[in-house]
Amino acid sequence: DAKTTQPNSMESNEEEPVHLPCNHSTISGTDYIHWYRQLPSQGPEYVIHGLTSNVNNRMASLAIAEDRKSSTLILHRATLRDAAVYYCILPFSGNTPLVFGKGTRLSVIA
Amino acid sequence: GAGVSQSPSNKVTEKGKDVELRCDPISGHTALYWYRQSLGQGLEFLIYFQGNSAPDKSGLPSDRFSAERTGGSVSTLTIQRTQQEDSAVYLCASSFPASGNREGKNIQYFGAGTRLSVL
């Protein structure tokens, strides 16, 4: 997997928007950008993915830079339940193991 | 629908004993993965099954670790002669067939894991 760089931790107030950045300067033209999150005492869960265009789903939005060397996961209104470690991953195509980095630990303050 | 199920959720064993951890993937998922997460560490790949192909065992840390997948569904991870450094959360994930992943989605669905404690 291409290498990604994320801040170790971030903090947000409840009901505020959160922008989680990820740098992936060595991304290739066919690499998808995936985000997973891991809530306390749970396995990781898929959040969102994209290739070139910005993407929205019920959990979050993904904003992808025009040169694709960075992306931002956007939680529009953080809740206490969103406190988790967020991982930005560029998996190989097909069914291959994911390579998880350290991720960003998001704390949400009530 | 049912997600990935792992059992037991917690396992405490004595050093030197063998343990078996079970994973029931989502029905129809032909790819199955085992990872482990040590305290405060990231997820580490262990072994990967894809359909009827030979498994990719490149992540197994020693020959005390083995896994099998019966009937293309349930998988068992076995750790022989457990050591204290084997203490970790063992996570299983499954995904759709590669043929359905032409966009390279490779979305994996994880179980809640088995927390193994070796005393």
Side-chain angles (χ1 to χ4, degrees):
Chain A
D1 296 357
K3 182 175 174 59
T4 61
T5 304
Q6 300 177 252
N8 290 332
S9 62
M10 292 185 65
E11 197 173 85
S12 172
N13 293 318
E14 195 176 13
E15 299 193 6
E16 299 269 323
V18 182
H19 291 229
L20 298 163
C22 181
N23 287 321
H24 29 79
S25 58
T26 59
I27 191 171
S28 74
T30 57
D31 284 337
Y32 277 77
I33 302 159
H34 286 224
W35 285 80
Y36 284 74
R37 72 178 185 180
Q38 187 173 21
L39 302 171
S41 301
Q42 295 189 27
E45 66 173 336
Y46 164 79
V47 177
I48 199 167
H49 77 279
L51 183 62
T52 56
S53 303
N54 294 344
V55 184
N56 300 293
N57 67 20
R58 64 175 180 82
M59 291 181 70
S61 295
L62 177 60
I64 301 172
E66 195 169 334
D67 63 6
R68 300 204 335 118
K69 293 185 177 182
S70 66
S71 61
T72 302
L73 180 71
I74 302 166
L75 307 179
H76 295 284
R77 286 181 69 227
T79 68
L80 296 178
R81 193 193 174 279
D82 291 321
V85 179
Y86 288 77
Y87 298 97
C88 170
I89 300 171
L90 278 59
F92 292 118
S93 61
N95 297 114
T96 56
L98 298 175
V99 177
F100 288 83
K102 298 288 188 184
T104 297
R105 181 173 298 278
L106 175 66
S107 301
V108 180
I109 302 168
Chain B
V4 176
S5 177
Q6 292 188 245
S7 61
S9 55
N10 285 284
K11 176 71 176 178
V12 180
T13 190
E14 294 179 348
K15 178 181 172 181
K17 300 282 190 183
D18 297 351
V19 295
E20 287 189 350
L21 313 179
R22 176 187 169 104
C23 173
D24 280 275
I26 293 173
S27 177
H29 283 192
T30 61
L32 186 147
Y33 315 79
W34 283 97
Y35 298 84
R36 77 174 174 182
Q37 188 169 32
S38 302
L39 187 62
Q41 301 297 311
L43 281 87
E44 170 190 18
F45 160 69
L46 296 176
I47 187 170
Y48 152 57
F49 296 88
Q50 171 56 55
N52 295 321
S53 302
D56 176 354
K57 304 179 183 180
S58 60
L60 294 179
S62 79
D63 58 8
R64 295 186 295 104
F65 288 72
S66 64
E68 62 177 22
R69 189 177 184 192
T70 54
S73 180
V74 172
S75 177
T76 302
L77 177 70
T78 301
I79 308 174
Q80 295 179 309
R81 305 181 302 281
T82 52
Q83 303 295 312
Q84 289 184 332
E85 61 262 30
D86 300 334
S87 296
V89 176
Y90 289 82
L91 291 155
C92 175
S94 68
S95 65
F96 284 111
S99 61
N101 276 341
R102 290 180 184 175
E103 291 185 15
K105 296 192 184 89
N106 193 11
I107 296 171
Q108 296 185 15
Y109 298 83
F110 285 79
T114 294
R115 182 175 298 277
L116 175 65
S117 300
V118 182
L119 304 180

